[in-house]
Each structure stands twice: as C-alpha cells, then as structure tokens.
Amino acid sequence: MADQHFGGIKIRHLYKIFGPNPAAHVDAVQKGLTKAELNEKHGHVLGLRDINIEISSGCIQVIMGLSGSGKSTLIRHINRLIDPTAGEVLIDGADVVKMNEAELRTFRRHQTAMVFQKFALLPHRNVLDNTVFGLEVQGIDRAKARDVAMRWLERVGLRGFEQKYPNQLSGGMQQRVGLARALSNDAPVLLMDEAFSALDPLIRMDMQTVLLDIQKEIKKTIVFITHDLDEALRLGDQIAILRDGEIIQQGTSQDIVLHPADEYVANFVKEVNRGRVVHVEAVMRPFQAGMASSGTRIAAGSTVEEAMRLLTSTPEGDVVVTSAEGEALGLVNLRELAGAMVNSHTSAPPAVAAQ
Ligand SMILES: Nc1ncnc2c1ncn2[C@@H]1O[C@H](COP(=O)(O)OP(=O)(O)OP(=O)(O)O)[C@@H](O)[C@H]1O
Ligand SMILES: [Mg+2]
C-alpha cells in the first residue's frame, strides 16, 4: 500500500493554449487577453489560464465546472497526457513537465492510475484479466497480480464475476471493474474524469459510497472531476471551480456554499440542501464563561441537519457543540439552525475549515 506521504500535487502557473502556435500567444494571455479575444483575433483556444492548485496527499480534490470549462484539460496535465504551454506540475516535488519519455512512462505506470467515464474495458478480456492488465504491463508476476486483482474485485463487490466479460455486466459493474483495475496499480494518485457521470443516480450514489469507504483505507490523492454539485459536495475534501479555463474558487464544500465567489458559483450552489453541507460551528454562538454547557451535545464538524434532528424532541433547547476532546465550543438553537438552511448569506463568522 502506498505511503500516505506520497502523492501531493502542486500545479503552478499552468497555461494551456490550443492551436498551431500556442507559444506565440502566452505573453498576451498572461497580460489579460481573454478567451474570446484569443479565439476571435488569433484563432487559438484558451484551455487553461494561470492554474494554481495544491492538493494534499491523501485528499479528494474535486474539479467542477460547466462543459468546456477545462476540467479534462486540467486533469490530463497531471499525467501529462497533455503538454502545457507554460507552467509546472509537481508530484511529490518532481515536475512532470520536465520528465523525459522514460521517466514519464515510469511515472505513469507507478504513480498514477486513471478511471474514465466510458469504462474503457477491453471487450475480449474477462473481468479478472481486465483488472490485472496494469500489473501485467508493469511486469508483475502473474500469480501475484491475480491475488492483488482478486482482492480489489472483492473490495468493490465483484466477487464471483471474475470470469464474466464486460458486455455481460451493467454499467455500474463495469465501472467497478474500472475502479478495481485502477486500485490494483496501488499508485498514490488516482485520476477520475467524470468516472460516475454515465451511471444512473442510484448506482452513482452506490459508487460514491464505495469510493469513500475505500478511501478511508487507502488514502490516495484523488482528483475527481464532475459536473454534479451533489457529487462534488459529497466527495470533495476540497473543491475547485473552473470557468473558461480559470479557477474562480477553491475551498471546502462549506466555503463554497456559504461564500460563493461570484454569480457563476452562486448559481451552482443555489439549489443545494445547505443543512447537509454547513457545519454547526458556522452558526453556533461561541461558548463563553457562564453559559450553560449541559444538554444535548454534538461534535464539531456535524452538519446543521444532524443538529436539527437532535432538537426534534426538545425544540426549545440549545445543542452544545463540542470539540473532539469533549470541550464545549458553542451553543446553537433551532432558530439559528433553521436560519442557516435558508439564508444565502449567514451572519456567522467565516466558515471554519473542514479539517
Ligand atoms: N485538442 C483540443 N484542441 C482545441 N481545443 C481544445 C482541445 N481540447 C480541448 N479544447 C478546448 O478547451 C476547452 C476545455 O475543454 P475540456 O475538454 O477540458 O472541457 P471540460 O470542462 O472537460 O468539458 P466537458 O464537461 O464537456 O467534458 C474547450 O473550449 C475545448 O473546446
Ligand atoms: Mg471533460
């Protein structure tokens, strides 16, 4: 299993311009030429502009944005399926952009694994043979590769399906194979581009649960792209929102829901059930000497919805928000909790980071 300290990603001043002569236009783009101007005046497409993002090892980083905003372009820079026009992509300090072909091949095989939207299984190989594929490419002993693959197939709920072929499986099952194949590689970085977007809503939720459960054990660095805000909020330790090739906001789910950076983000989050995202600390009255600290208690980090549930039998009371050590941090009542469900701008202090 990969060491927890591996897999940190830093992207610095990354630019991507598509067209016959991208290098000729970087300067102008750096000076503020817009995507529309670049297209109209010079016939080039601005894919990414000045992307700066730091992804801690072991975290799930979600990238969100409308179609064409640059999500796939960004994730493909991480394993250099796309060469940048300018900038750095550092994985554990090594710049992927500077790697030669041999280094890049080794890096791709050992440091990254990818799960695609269209499962990309080999139709003439059965489930087991699809899952061992990456290990075979690495030259790992067949018996050992099989053991590893069987373990992950079992972990994603496919025990007993090893001999089936992709066309005998549902979409959800095929994506489980895709996930097992990626996990068998045991690479510290897992890249998932709309991996669950082709699945029915219920199957999609199942897959999110599988991923979150497994992530508790494996603690990979996962870059997960999605169009879907509910999926982003459920999976992301951190979320970055892209528009026209630029990151317009980065933060936890709560940061984004409570303090959308602009109209574009506000439009994304307006239908969200805030009670499931906002933490009790964001709405509590901070604890001061003399306040009563008895009553129902709830751990910091719990959601507003969870706190409201505790008050259903005693709607007049306060809930005491406590730290991991059991110390009282603040009090919150039903009115304050209800306010957090509907306000687009809470009067609470800036959101407390999730970790
Ligand atoms: N090879 C290419 N040549 C020219 N333009 C490209 C190329 N690849 C992507 N683009 C352009 O770059 C921009 C970002 O595309 P990208 O595929 O990264 O978007 P996306 O956010 O992944 O969209 P979707 O949600 O539809 O998958 C778009 O304007 C797209 O047309
Ligand atoms: Mg895409």
Side-chain angles (χ1 to χ4, degrees):
M1 197 141 294
D3 189 300
Q4 262 206 54
H5 301 291
F6 289 129
I9 302 173
K10 261 189 214 151
I11 296 175
R12 288 206 198 121
H13 302 302
L14 187 72
Y15 289 79
K16 179 65 185 179
I17 297 169
F18 293 104
N21 192 6
H25 304 290
V26 181
D27 216 34
V29 167
Q30 283 171 339
K31 290 191 174 116
L33 190 75
T34 66
K35 179 166 175 157
E37 288 166 344
L38 180 72
N39 201 356
E40 281 156 23
K41 290 190 193 150
H42 305 289
H44 281 59
V45 177
L46 181 58
L48 296 172
R49 178 203 293 276
D50 199 17
I51 301 294
N52 290 282
I53 187 165
E54 197 160 322
I55 307 173
S56 305
S57 155
C59 282
I60 303 183
Q61 170 74 55
V62 167
I63 315 273
M64 257 198 92
L66 298 178
S67 188
S69 58
K71 304 179 296 295
S72 297
T73 305
L74 176 54
I75 204 170
R76 287 179 193 158
H77 276 87
I78 296 175
N79 56 357
R80 224 178 103 193
L81 292 177
I82 297 182
D83 275 309
T85 310
E88 293 180 332
V89 178
L90 304 162
I91 316 275
D92 294 323
D95 191 348
V96 177
V97 181
K98 298 209 176 86
M99 288 180 186
N100 64 31
E101 235 169 77
E103 289 167 335
L104 192 58
R105 203 173 318 123
T106 308
F107 166 80
R108 285 198 188 125
R109 276 186 197 163
H110 297 282
Q111 300 289 104
T112 66
M114 213 163 179
V115 186
F116 304 90
Q117 174 172 0
K118 304 219 173 76
F119 324 121
L121 302 180
L122 299 165
H124 303 300
R125 287 184 153 224
N126 67 23
V127 164
L128 179 60
D129 290 340
N130 263 288
T131 312
V132 295
F133 187 65
L135 299 173
E136 267 178 26
V137 172
Q138 287 185 26
I140 287 176
D141 169 71
R142 168 87 192 159
K144 190 174 166 215
R146 223 187 113 95
D147 281 354
V148 172
M150 288 297 283
R151 184 163 74 84
W152 284 113
L153 283 171
E154 179 158 4
R155 192 68 184 76
V156 300
L158 284 180
R159 196 194 167 134
F161 289 88
E162 306 84 34
Q163 306 303 326
K164 299 269 187 225
Y165 284 83
N167 68 1
Q168 299 175 296
L169 304 180
S170 69
M173 289 160 94
Q174 290 184 53
Q175 195 53 300
R176 284 171 198 259
V177 180
L179 188 58
R181 177 181 57 189
L183 292 168
S184 294
N185 260 9
D186 197 25
V189 175
L190 192 57
L191 304 174
M192 304 181 73
D193 188 352
E194 304 262 13
F196 301 157
S197 301
L199 306 174
D200 293 339
L202 288 179
I203 308 285
R204 186 172 186 165
M205 292 268 288
D206 280 349
M207 289 303 288
Q208 292 163 3
T209 308
V210 168
L211 182 67
L212 286 171
D213 279 353
I214 291 177
Q215 170 68 348
K216 281 189 206 138
E217 268 169 51
I218 60 177
K219 298 206 163 40
K220 306 274 183 204
T221 308
I222 301 178
V223 183
F224 192 102
I225 288 183
T226 182
H227 275 90
D228 185 82
L229 183 67
D230 289 322
E231 184 164 79
L233 296 173
R234 182 147 187 242
L235 296 180
D237 294 310
Q238 290 282 322
I239 299 173
I241 300 186
L242 275 178
R243 181 184 54 199
D244 292 342
E246 288 181 66
I247 291 185
I248 49 169
Q249 187 163 12
Q250 296 189 56
T252 62
S253 319
Q254 178 171 264
D255 294 337
I256 284 167
V257 170
L258 286 180
H259 310 287
D262 66 7
E263 280 295 310
Y264 177 85
V265 183
N267 269 328
F268 262 120
V269 301
K270 72 174 183 244
E271 305 295 340
V272 166
N273 178 344
R274 305 162 64 84
R276 292 197 186 146
V277 177
V278 178
H279 292 172
V280 282
E281 304 92 287
V283 284
M284 70 184 185
R285 278 160 281 137
F287 191 74
Q288 288 165 357
M291 278 180 165
S293 64
S294 59
T296 314
R297 296 165 89 80
I298 195 164
S302 305
T303 61
V304 161
E305 191 177 88
E306 287 162 339
M308 287 180 94
R309 228 174 273 138
L310 290 179
L311 283 171
T312 47
S313 53
T314 53
E316 300 306 316
D318 277 323
V319 174
V320 183
V321 180
T322 58
S323 68
E325 293 75 37
E327 177 196 356
L329 300 175
L331 300 177
V332 65
N333 63 29
L334 193 57
R335 191 180 51 77
E336 289 157 340
L337 292 167
M341 302 277 290
V342 292
N343 283 356
S344 57
H345 296 286
T346 60
S347 53
V352 179
Q355 294 89 29

